[in-house]
């Protein structure tokens, strides 16, 4: 089966995000006074073949913990869906 | 004394390390990242630069280079390994040193001379220095904001693994003298045994007076003295 994994990597909540802080400040100066916090992360899309959804999820989880996220400073989350056939 | 300088695609301080080592009277050869053996070297250097373009995260991809298994084995045998700037990031990503690197709090790439205070003289790289000594080395990085969770931080402090801290001219590790937001003003850490060191400042860019300072030479000379003394940890 072919799957698409949609992965989101974020800095841990306890860590200050300097980029997000710069964007928050810019939004504030643009007049968006209600903006309280901005956090910047990454979205990664991986297309892969796997025998079934469980194996797909297992493989994606391993990819995240080994390469796509650095769990010292980041957390990750993902969803997988079957890719429609041609 | 022979330094082995690992060259990743995107390394750009490899030649600086070789030049500084040769100027100090030592041998230095390159080791391509695809190599699987690191025989014949006394000290391995992971140099600065932008390995694999720093795609995904700094050093995230470099740490899976074929050579890294041999680097880990070399370190496990108690021989000295130093990662400078991007090389420090590689050692962090590889789990050979504790912690991780965030973007500088200023969001700016910093390129300037920086004072650092020596915290530990027990590593092979700091033999010729003394605790409390202030030296000046160039820094050049966008992601040098050292982070570790509070438990890890307490542990490396307790084990004396903080080797250098950013400081002012009188040696004070103050918030004002912290260029990038690093926790505890940390500029360099070693593993528990002390033979693996990571540091953000560039000793190879300060190896001769003509470059504006020669404090970096002390680090090369320290490891050479340690190796010549037959040193091996463990």
């Amino acid at each position: 089966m072919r799957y698409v994994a949609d992965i989101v990597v974020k800095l841990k909540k306890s860590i200050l995000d300097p980029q997000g802080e710069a964007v928050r400040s810019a939004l504030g100066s643009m007049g968006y006074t209600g903006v309280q916090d901005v956090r910047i992360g990454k979205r990664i899309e991986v297309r892969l073949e796997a025998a079934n959804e469980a194996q797909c999820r297992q493989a994606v989880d391993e990819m995240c913990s080994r390469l796509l996220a650095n769990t010292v400073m980041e957390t990750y989350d993902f969803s997988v869906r079957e890719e429609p056939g041609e | 004394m022979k330094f082995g300088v690992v060259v990743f695609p995107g390394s750009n301080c490899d030649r600086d390390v070789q030049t500084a080592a040769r100027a100090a009277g030592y041998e230095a050869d390159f080791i391509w990242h695809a190599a699987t053996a690191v025989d014949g070297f006394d000290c391995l250097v992971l140099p600065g630069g932008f390995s694999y373009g720093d795609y995904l995260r700094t050093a995230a991809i470099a740490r899976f280079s074929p050579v890294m298994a041999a680097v880990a084995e070399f370190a496990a045998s108690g021989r000295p390994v130093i990662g400078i700037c991007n090389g420090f990031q590689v050692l962090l990503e590889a789990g050979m040193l504790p912690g991780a690197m965030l973007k500088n709090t200023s969001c700016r790439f910093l390129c300037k001379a920086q004072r650092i205070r020596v915290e530990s003289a027990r590593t092979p790289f700091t033999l010729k220095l003394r605790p409390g000594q202030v030296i000046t080395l160039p820094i050049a990085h966008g992601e040098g904001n050292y982070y570790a969770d509070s438990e890890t931080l307490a542990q490396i402090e307790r084990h004396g693994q903080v080797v250098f801290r950013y400081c002012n001219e009188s040696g004070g590790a103050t918030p004002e003298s912290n260029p990038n937001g690093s926790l505890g003003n940390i500029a360099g850490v070693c593993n528990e045994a002390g033979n693996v060191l990571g540091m953000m400042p560039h000793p190879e860019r300060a190896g001769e007076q003509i470059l504006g300072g020669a404090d970096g030479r002390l680090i090369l000379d320290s490891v050479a003295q340690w190796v010549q003394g037959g040193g091996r940890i463990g």
Side-chain angles (χ1 to χ4, degrees), chain B residues 76-163:
Chain B
S77 73
R79 287 172 291 177
V81 176
I82 180 171
I84 301 165
C85 199
N86 194 230
F88 184 6
Q89 294 160 342
V90 175
L91 294 173
L92 293 171
E93 282 285 336
M96 291 173 66
L97 290 174
M101 285 297 175
L102 300 166
K103 273 190 201 313
N104 298 343
T105 45
S106 64
C107 295
R108 293 198 184 113
F109 188 94
L110 297 168
C111 187
K112 61 171 195 154
Q114 170 70 46
R115 289 190 184 85
I116 56 173
R117 185 176 78 201
V118 179
E119 298 292 288
S120 167
R122 77 178 171 97
T123 80
F125 310 94
T126 49
L127 274 189
K128 294 176 85 78
L129 299 160
R130 55 176 199 284
Q133 186 174 350
V134 176
I135 61 174
T136 301
L137 295 177
I139 55 169
H141 59 252
E143 278 104 353
N145 178 355
Y146 182 79
Y147 169 83
D149 62 47
S150 51
E151 196 179 316
T152 306
L153 205 58
Q155 192 178 334
I156 64 175
E157 293 280 3
R158 198 165 55 242
H159 293 157
Q161 290 174 246
V162 177
V163 181

Coordinates of all heavy atoms in Angstrom, one line a residue, chain B residues 76-163:
Chain B
A76 N 35.4 5.9 21.8 CA 35.2 4.9 22.8 C 36.5 4.2 23.3 O 36.6 3.7 24.4 CB 34.2 3.8 22.3
S77 N 37.5 4.3 22.4 CA 38.8 3.7 22.8 C 39.6 4.7 23.7 O 40.8 4.5 24.0 CB 39.6 3.3 21.6 OG 40.1 4.5 20.9
G78 N 39.0 5.9 24.0 CA 39.7 6.8 24.9 C 40.6 7.8 24.2 O 41.3 8.6 24.9
R79 N 40.5 7.9 22.9 CA 41.4 8.8 22.1 C 40.6 10.1 21.9 O 39.4 10.2 21.9 CB 41.9 8.2 20.8 CG 43.0 7.1 21.1 CD 43.4 6.3 19.9 NE 42.3 5.5 19.5 CZ 42.4 4.7 18.4 NH1 43.4 4.7 17.6 NH2 41.3 3.9 18.1
P80 N 41.4 11.2 21.7 CA 40.7 12.5 21.7 C 40.0 12.9 20.4 O 40.5 12.7 19.3 CB 41.9 13.5 21.9 CG 43.1 12.8 21.4 CD 42.8 11.3 21.6
V81 N 38.8 13.4 20.5 CA 37.9 13.8 19.4 C 37.4 15.2 19.8 O 36.9 15.5 20.9 CB 36.7 12.9 19.2 CG1 35.8 13.5 18.1 CG2 37.1 11.5 18.9
I82 N 37.6 16.2 18.8 CA 37.1 17.5 19.1 C 36.2 18.0 17.9 O 36.5 17.8 16.8 CB 38.3 18.5 19.3 CG1 37.7 20.0 19.5 CG2 39.3 18.5 18.1 CD1 38.8 21.0 19.9
G83 N 35.0 18.5 18.3 CA 34.1 19.0 17.3 C 34.0 20.5 17.5 O 33.8 21.0 18.6
I84 N 34.3 21.3 16.4 CA 34.3 22.7 16.5 C 33.1 23.3 15.7 O 32.9 22.9 14.5 CB 35.6 23.3 15.9 CG1 36.8 22.7 16.6 CG2 35.6 24.8 15.9 CD1 38.1 22.9 15.9
C85 N 32.3 24.1 16.4 CA 31.1 24.7 15.7 C 30.2 23.7 15.1 O 29.6 22.9 15.8 CB 31.7 25.8 14.7 SG 30.4 27.0 14.3
N86 N 30.1 23.6 13.8 CA 29.3 22.5 13.2 C 29.7 21.1 13.6 O 28.9 20.3 13.8 CB 29.3 22.7 11.6 CG 28.2 21.9 10.9 OD1 28.5 21.1 10.0 ND2 27.0 22.0 11.3
G87 N 31.0 21.0 13.9 CA 31.5 19.7 14.4 C 30.9 19.4 15.8 O 30.6 18.2 16.1
F88 N 30.8 20.4 16.6 CA 30.1 20.3 17.9 C 28.7 19.8 17.7 O 28.2 18.9 18.4 CB 30.2 21.6 18.6 CG 29.7 21.7 20.0 CD1 29.3 20.6 20.8 CD2 29.6 23.0 20.7 CE1 28.8 20.7 22.1 CE2 29.2 23.1 22.0 CZ 28.8 21.9 22.7
Q89 N 28.0 20.5 16.8 CA 26.6 20.1 16.5 C 26.5 18.7 16.0 O 25.6 18.0 16.4 CB 26.0 21.1 15.4 CG 25.9 22.5 15.9 CD 25.8 23.6 14.8 OE1 26.1 23.3 13.7 NE2 25.4 24.8 15.2
V90 N 27.5 18.2 15.3 CA 27.5 16.8 14.8 C 27.6 15.9 16.0 O 26.8 14.9 16.2 CB 28.6 16.5 13.8 CG1 28.7 15.0 13.5 CG2 28.5 17.3 12.6
L91 N 28.5 16.2 17.0 CA 28.7 15.4 18.2 C 27.4 15.3 19.0 O 27.0 14.3 19.6 CB 29.8 15.8 19.0 CG 31.2 15.7 18.3 CD1 32.3 16.4 19.2 CD2 31.6 14.2 18.1
L92 N 26.7 16.5 19.1 CA 25.4 16.5 19.8 C 24.3 15.7 19.1 O 23.7 14.9 19.8 CB 24.9 18.0 19.9 CG 25.7 19.0 20.7 CD1 25.2 20.4 20.5 CD2 25.7 18.6 22.2
E93 N 24.2 15.8 17.8 CA 23.2 15.1 17.1 C 23.5 13.6 17.2 O 22.6 12.7 17.2 CB 23.2 15.5 15.6 CG 22.5 16.8 15.3 CD 20.9 16.6 15.4 OE1 20.4 15.5 15.2 OE2 20.3 17.6 15.7
A94 N 24.8 13.2 17.2 CA 25.2 11.8 17.3 C 25.0 11.2 18.7 O 25.2 10.0 18.9 CB 26.6 11.6 16.8
G95 N 24.7 12.1 19.6 CA 24.5 11.6 21.0 C 25.9 11.4 21.7 O 25.9 10.8 22.8
M96 N 27.0 11.8 21.1 CA 28.3 11.6 21.7 C 28.5 12.7 22.8 O 29.4 12.5 23.6 CB 29.4 11.7 20.7 CG 29.3 10.4 19.7 SD 30.5 10.5 18.4 CE 32.1 10.5 19.2
L97 N 27.8 13.8 22.8 CA 27.8 14.8 23.8 C 26.3 15.1 24.2 O 25.4 15.0 23.3 CB 28.5 16.0 23.3 CG 30.0 15.9 23.1 CD1 30.5 17.2 22.5 CD2 30.7 15.6 24.4
P98 N 26.1 15.5 25.4 CA 24.7 15.9 25.8 C 24.3 17.2 25.3 O 25.1 18.1 25.2 CB 24.8 15.8 27.4 CG 26.2 16.2 27.7 CD 27.1 15.7 26.5
G99 N 23.0 17.4 25.1 CA 22.4 18.7 24.7 C 22.0 18.8 23.3 O 22.1 17.8 22.5
A100 N 21.7 20.0 22.9 CA 21.3 20.3 21.5 C 21.5 21.8 21.3 O 21.7 22.6 22.2 CB 19.8 20.0 21.3
M101 N 21.5 22.2 20.0 CA 21.7 23.6 19.7 C 20.4 24.3 19.1 O 19.9 23.8 18.1 CB 22.8 23.8 18.6 CG 24.2 23.6 19.2 SD 24.6 24.8 20.4 CE 26.2 24.1 20.9
L102 N 20.1 25.4 19.7 CA 18.9 26.2 19.2 C 19.5 27.4 18.4 O 20.7 27.7 18.5 CB 18.1 26.7 20.4 CG 17.5 25.7 21.3 CD1 17.0 26.3 22.6 CD2 16.4 24.9 20.6
K103 N 18.6 28.1 17.7 CA 19.0 29.3 17.1 C 19.5 30.3 18.1 O 18.9 30.4 19.2 CB 17.8 29.9 16.3 CG 17.7 29.4 14.9 CD 16.7 30.2 14.2 CE 16.1 29.4 13.0 NZ 17.1 28.8 12.1
N104 N 20.4 31.2 17.8 CA 20.8 32.2 18.6 C 19.6 33.1 19.0 O 18.7 33.3 18.2 CB 21.8 33.2 17.9 CG 23.1 32.5 17.5 OD1 23.4 31.4 18.0 ND2 23.8 33.1 16.6
T105 N 19.5 33.5 20.3 CA 18.3 34.3 20.7 C 18.1 35.5 19.9 O 17.0 36.0 19.7 CB 18.4 34.6 22.2 OG1 19.7 35.1 22.5 CG2 18.1 33.4 23.0
S106 N 19.2 36.1 19.3 CA 19.1 37.3 18.5 C 18.6 37.0 17.1 O 18.3 37.9 16.4 CB 20.5 38.0 18.4 OG 21.4 37.1 17.7
C107 N 18.5 35.7 16.7 CA 18.2 35.3 15.4 C 19.2 35.7 14.4 O 19.0 35.7 13.2 CB 16.8 35.7 14.9 SG 15.5 35.0 15.9
R108 N 20.4 36.2 14.8 CA 21.4 36.7 13.9 C 22.6 35.7 13.8 O 22.9 35.0 14.8 CB 22.0 38.0 14.4 CG 21.0 39.1 14.3 CD 21.8 40.5 14.4 NE 20.8 41.5 14.4 CZ 20.6 42.4 15.4 NH1 21.4 42.3 16.5 NH2 19.7 43.3 15.4
F109 N 23.2 35.7 12.7 CA 24.5 34.9 12.6 C 25.5 35.8 13.2 O 25.7 37.0 12.9 CB 24.8 34.7 11.1 CG 26.0 33.8 10.9 CD1 25.9 32.4 10.7 CD2 27.3 34.3 10.9 CE1 27.0 31.6 10.6 CE2 28.4 33.5 10.8 CZ 28.2 32.1 10.6
L110 N 26.3 35.3 14.2 CA 27.3 36.0 14.9 C 28.7 35.7 14.4 O 29.0 34.5 14.2 CB 27.2 35.7 16.4 CG 25.9 36.0 17.1 CD1 25.9 35.3 18.5 CD2 25.8 37.5 17.3
C111 N 29.4 36.7 14.1 CA 30.8 36.5 13.6 C 31.7 37.6 14.3 O 31.7 38.7 13.9 CB 30.9 36.6 12.1 SG 32.4 36.2 11.4
K112 N 32.4 37.2 15.4 CA 33.2 38.2 16.1 C 34.1 37.5 17.1 O 34.0 36.2 17.2 CB 32.2 39.1 16.9 CG 31.4 38.3 18.0 CD 30.6 39.2 18.9 CE 30.1 38.5 20.1 NZ 30.0 39.3 21.3
A113 N 35.0 38.3 17.6 CA 35.9 37.7 18.7 C 35.2 37.6 20.0 O 34.4 38.5 20.3 CB 37.1 38.6 18.8
Q114 N 35.4 36.6 20.7 CA 34.6 36.3 21.9 C 35.5 35.8 23.0 O 36.3 34.9 22.8 CB 33.5 35.3 21.6 CG 32.7 34.8 22.8 CD 31.8 35.9 23.5 OE1 31.1 36.6 22.8 NE2 31.9 36.0 24.8
R115 N 35.4 36.4 24.2 CA 36.1 35.9 25.4 C 35.4 34.6 25.9 O 34.2 34.6 26.0 CB 36.2 36.9 26.5 CG 37.1 38.1 26.1 CD 37.4 39.0 27.3 NE 38.2 40.1 26.9 CZ 37.7 41.2 26.3 NH1 36.4 41.3 26.2 NH2 38.5 42.2 26.0
I116 N 36.2 33.7 26.3 CA 35.7 32.5 27.0 C 36.6 32.2 28.2 O 37.8 32.4 28.2 CB 35.5 31.2 26.0 CG1 36.9 30.9 25.4 CG2 34.5 31.5 25.0 CD1 36.8 29.6 24.6
R117 N 35.9 31.6 29.2 CA 36.6 31.3 30.4 C 36.8 29.7 30.4 O 35.9 29.0 30.2 CB 35.8 31.7 31.6 CG 36.5 31.5 33.0 CD 35.6 32.1 34.1 NE 34.5 31.2 34.4 CZ 33.4 31.6 35.0 NH1 33.2 32.8 35.4 NH2 32.5 30.7 35.3
V118 N 38.0 29.3 30.8 CA 38.3 27.9 30.9 C 37.7 27.4 32.2 O 38.0 28.0 33.3 CB 39.8 27.7 30.9 CG1 40.1 26.2 31.0 CG2 40.4 28.2 29.6
E119 N 36.9 26.4 32.1 CA 36.3 25.8 33.3 C 37.0 24.5 33.8 O 37.0 24.2 35.0 CB 34.8 25.5 33.1 CG 34.0 26.7 32.7 CD 33.8 27.6 33.9 OE1 33.1 27.3 34.8 OE2 34.4 28.7 33.8
S120 N 37.6 23.8 32.8 CA 38.2 22.5 33.2 C 39.5 22.4 32.4 O 39.5 22.6 31.2 CB 37.2 21.4 32.8 OG 37.9 20.2 32.8
A121 N 40.5 22.0 33.2 CA 41.8 21.8 32.5 C 42.2 20.3 32.5 O 43.3 19.9 32.2 CB 42.9 22.6 33.3
R122 N 41.1 19.5 32.8 CA 41.4 18.0 32.9 C 41.2 17.3 31.5 O 41.5 16.1 31.4 CB 40.5 17.4 33.9 CG 39.1 17.2 33.5 CD 38.2 16.5 34.5 NE 36.8 16.5 34.1 CZ 36.2 15.5 33.4 NH1 36.9 14.4 33.2 NH2 34.9 15.6 33.1
T123 N 40.8 18.1 30.5 CA 40.6 17.4 29.2 C 41.9 17.4 28.4 O 42.8 18.3 28.7 CB 39.5 18.0 28.4 OG1 40.1 19.2 27.7 CG2 38.3 18.5 29.2
P124 N 42.1 16.5 27.5 CA 43.3 16.5 26.7 C 43.5 17.9 25.9 O 44.6 18.2 25.5 CB 43.1 15.4 25.6 CG 42.1 14.5 26.3 CD 41.2 15.4 27.1
F125 N 42.4 18.6 25.7 CA 42.4 19.8 24.9 C 42.7 21.1 25.7 O 42.9 22.2 25.2 CB 41.1 20.0 24.2 CG 40.6 18.8 23.5 CD1 39.8 17.9 24.1 CD2 41.1 18.5 22.2 CE1 39.4 16.7 23.5 CE2 40.7 17.4 21.6 CZ 39.9 16.5 22.2
T126 N 42.7 20.9 27.1 CA 42.9 22.1 27.9 C 44.1 22.0 28.9 O 44.2 22.7 29.9 CB 41.6 22.4 28.7 OG1 41.1 21.2 29.3 CG2 40.5 22.9 27.7
L127 N 44.9 21.0 28.7 CA 46.1 20.7 29.6 C 46.9 21.9 29.8 O 47.4 22.1 30.9 CB 47.0 19.7 28.9 CG 46.8 18.2 29.0 CD1 48.0 17.5 28.4 CD2 46.6 17.9 30.5
K128 N 47.1 22.7 28.8 CA 48.0 23.9 28.9 C 47.3 25.1 29.3 O 47.9 26.2 29.3 CB 48.7 24.1 27.5 CG 49.7 23.0 27.2 CD 50.3 23.2 25.8 CE 51.5 24.1 25.8 NZ 52.7 23.3 26.3
L129 N 46.1 25.0 29.7 CA 45.3 26.1 30.2 C 45.0 25.9 31.7 O 45.2 24.8 32.2 CB 43.9 26.2 29.5 CG 44.1 26.4 28.0 CD1 42.8 26.0 27.2 CD2 44.4 27.9 27.7
R130 N 44.5 26.9 32.4 CA 44.2 26.7 33.8 C 42.8 27.2 34.0 O 42.3 28.1 33.4 CB 45.2 27.4 34.7 CG 45.3 28.9 34.4 CD 46.2 29.6 35.4 NE 45.8 31.0 35.3 CZ 46.2 31.8 34.2 NH1 47.0 31.3 33.3 NH2 45.9 33.1 34.2
P131 N 42.1 26.5 35.0 CA 40.7 26.9 35.3 C 40.6 28.4 35.6 O 41.5 28.9 36.4 CB 40.3 26.1 36.5 CG 41.2 24.9 36.4 CD 42.5 25.4 35.8
G132 N 39.7 29.1 35.1 CA 39.5 30.5 35.3 C 40.2 31.4 34.3 O 40.0 32.6 34.2
Q133 N 41.1 30.8 33.5 CA 41.8 31.6 32.5 C 40.9 32.1 31.4 O 40.0 31.4 31.0 CB 42.9 30.7 31.9 CG 43.8 31.4 30.9 CD 44.9 30.5 30.4 OE1 45.2 29.4 30.9 NE2 45.7 30.9 29.4
V134 N 41.1 33.3 31.0 CA 40.2 33.9 30.0 C 41.0 33.9 28.6 O 42.1 34.5 28.6 CB 39.7 35.3 30.3 CG1 39.0 36.0 29.2 CG2 38.9 35.3 31.6
I135 N 40.4 33.3 27.6 CA 41.1 33.4 26.3 C 40.1 34.0 25.3 O 38.9 34.0 25.6 CB 41.6 32.0 25.8 CG1 40.4 31.0 25.7 CG2 42.7 31.5 26.7 CD1 40.9 29.7 25.1
T136 N 40.6 34.4 24.2 CA 39.7 35.0 23.1 C 39.8 34.2 21.9 O 40.9 34.0 21.3 CB 40.2 36.5 22.9 OG1 40.1 37.2 24.1 CG2 39.3 37.2 21.8
L137 N 38.7 33.8 21.4 CA 38.6 33.1 20.1 C 37.4 33.6 19.3 O 36.5 34.1 19.8 CB 38.3 31.6 20.4 CG 39.4 30.8 21.2 CD1 38.9 29.4 21.4 CD2 40.7 30.7 20.4
P138 N 37.5 33.4 17.9 CA 36.4 33.9 17.1 C 35.2 32.9 17.2 O 35.4 31.7 17.4 CB 37.0 33.8 15.7 CG 38.5 33.6 15.8 CD 38.7 32.9 17.1
I139 N 34.0 33.5 17.2 CA 32.8 32.7 17.0 C 32.2 33.0 15.7 O 32.4 34.2 15.2 CB 31.8 32.8 18.2 CG1 31.4 34.3 18.4 CG2 32.3 32.2 19.5 CD1 30.2 34.5 19.3
A140 N 31.5 32.1 15.1 CA 30.8 32.3 13.8 C 29.7 31.3 13.6 O 30.0 30.2 13.1 CB 31.9 32.2 12.7
H141 N 28.5 31.7 14.1 CA 27.4 30.7 14.1 C 26.1 31.3 14.2 O 25.9 32.4 14.7 CB 27.6 29.6 15.2 CG 27.6 30.2 16.6 ND1 28.7 30.3 17.4 CD2 26.6 30.8 17.3 CE1 28.4 30.8 18.5 NE2 27.2 31.1 18.5
G142 N 25.1 30.6 13.6 CA 23.7 31.1 13.8 C 22.9 30.2 14.8 O 21.9 30.7 15.3
E143 N 23.4 29.0 15.0 CA 22.8 28.1 16.0 C 23.8 27.6 17.0 O 24.4 26.6 16.9 CB 22.2 26.9 15.2 CG 20.9 27.1 14.6 CD 20.9 27.3 13.1 OE1 22.1 27.4 12.6 OE2 19.9 27.4 12.5
G144 N 24.0 28.5 18.0 CA 25.0 28.2 19.0 C 24.5 28.3 20.4 O 25.2 28.4 21.4
N145 N 23.1 28.3 20.4 CA 22.4 28.5 21.7 C 22.2 27.2 22.4 O 21.3 26.4 22.1 CB 21.1 29.2 21.3 CG 20.2 29.4 22.5 OD1 20.4 29.1 23.6 ND2 19.0 30.0 22.2
Y146 N 23.2 26.9 23.3 CA 23.3 25.5 23.9 C 22.1 25.3 24.8 O 21.8 26.1 25.7 CB 24.6 25.3 24.6 CG 24.7 24.0 25.2 CD1 25.1 22.9 24.5 CD2 24.4 23.7 26.6 CE1 25.2 21.6 25.0 CE2 24.5 22.5 27.1 CZ 24.9 21.4 26.3 OH 24.9 20.1 26.9
Y147 N 21.5 24.1 24.6 CA 20.3 23.7 25.4 C 20.5 22.3 25.9 O 20.9 21.4 25.2 CB 19.0 23.8 24.6 CG 17.8 23.2 25.3 CD1 17.1 23.9 26.3 CD2 17.5 21.9 25.0 CE1 16.1 23.4 27.0 CE2 16.4 21.3 25.7 CZ 15.7 22.0 26.7 OH 14.7 21.5 27.4
A148 N 20.1 22.1 27.1 CA 19.9 20.7 27.7 C 18.8 20.8 28.7 O 18.7 21.9 29.3 CB 21.2 20.2 28.3
D149 N 18.1 19.8 29.0 CA 17.0 19.9 30.0 C 17.7 20.0 31.4 O 18.9 19.8 31.5 CB 16.1 18.7 29.9 CG 16.7 17.4 30.2 OD1 17.5 17.3 31.1 OD2 16.5 16.4 29.4
S150 N 16.9 20.5 32.4 CA 17.5 20.9 33.6 C 18.3 19.7 34.3 O 19.3 19.9 34.9 CB 16.5 21.5 34.6 OG 15.4 20.6 34.6
E151 N 17.8 18.5 34.1 CA 18.4 17.3 34.7 C 19.8 17.1 34.1 O 20.8 16.9 34.8 CB 17.5 16.1 34.5 CG 17.8 15.0 35.4 CD 16.8 13.8 35.1 OE1 15.6 14.1 34.9 OE2 17.3 12.7 35.0
T152 N 19.8 17.2 32.8 CA 21.1 16.9 32.1 C 22.1 18.0 32.4 O 23.3 17.8 32.6 CB 20.8 16.9 30.5 OG1 19.8 16.0 30.2 CG2 22.1 16.6 29.8
L153 N 21.6 19.3 32.5 CA 22.4 20.4 32.8 C 23.1 20.3 34.2 O 24.3 20.5 34.3 CB 21.6 21.7 32.7 CG 22.3 23.0 32.5 CD1 23.0 23.0 31.1 CD2 21.2 24.1 32.4
A154 N 22.2 19.9 35.1 CA 22.8 19.7 36.5 C 23.8 18.6 36.5 O 24.9 18.7 37.2 CB 21.6 19.3 37.4
Q155 N 23.6 17.5 35.7 CA 24.5 16.4 35.7 C 25.9 16.8 35.0 O 26.9 16.5 35.6 CB 23.9 15.3 34.8 CG 24.6 14.0 35.0 CD 23.9 12.9 34.2 OE1 22.7 12.9 34.0 NE2 24.7 11.9 33.7
I156 N 25.8 17.6 33.9 CA 27.1 17.9 33.3 C 27.9 18.9 34.2 O 29.1 18.9 34.2 CB 27.0 18.4 31.8 CG1 26.2 19.7 31.7 CG2 26.4 17.4 31.0 CD1 26.1 20.3 30.3
E157 N 27.1 19.8 34.9 CA 27.8 20.7 35.8 C 28.5 19.9 37.0 O 29.6 20.1 37.3 CB 26.8 21.7 36.4 CG 26.2 22.7 35.4 CD 27.2 23.9 35.1 OE1 28.3 23.9 35.6 OE2 26.7 24.7 34.3
R158 N 27.7 18.9 37.5 CA 28.2 18.1 38.6 C 29.5 17.3 38.2 O 30.4 17.2 39.0 CB 27.1 17.2 39.1 CG 27.3 16.6 40.5 CD 26.0 16.0 41.0 NE 25.4 15.0 40.1 CZ 24.2 15.1 39.6 NH1 23.5 16.1 39.8 NH2 23.8 14.1 38.8
H159 N 29.5 16.8 37.0 CA 30.6 16.0 36.5 C 31.7 16.8 35.9 O 32.7 16.3 35.3 CB 30.1 15.0 35.5 CG 29.2 13.9 36.1 ND1 28.3 13.2 35.4 CD2 29.0 13.6 37.4 CE1 27.7 12.4 36.2 NE2 28.1 12.6 37.4
G160 N 31.6 18.1 36.0 CA 32.7 19.0 35.5 C 32.8 18.9 34.0 O 33.9 19.0 33.4
Q161 N 31.7 18.7 33.2 CA 31.8 18.6 31.8 C 31.7 19.9 31.0 O 31.8 19.9 29.8 CB 30.7 17.6 31.3 CG 30.9 16.2 31.7 CD 29.8 15.3 31.4 OE1 29.1 14.7 32.2 NE2 29.5 15.1 30.1
V162 N 31.4 21.0 31.8 CA 31.4 22.3 31.1 C 32.9 22.7 31.0 O 33.6 22.8 32.0 CB 30.6 23.3 31.9 CG1 30.7 24.7 31.2 CG2 29.2 22.9 32.0
V163 N 33.4 22.9 29.8 CA 34.8 23.1 29.6 C 35.1 24.6 29.4 O 36.1 25.2 29.8 CB 35.4 22.3 28.4 CG1 36.9 22.5 28.2 CG2 35.2 20.8 28.7

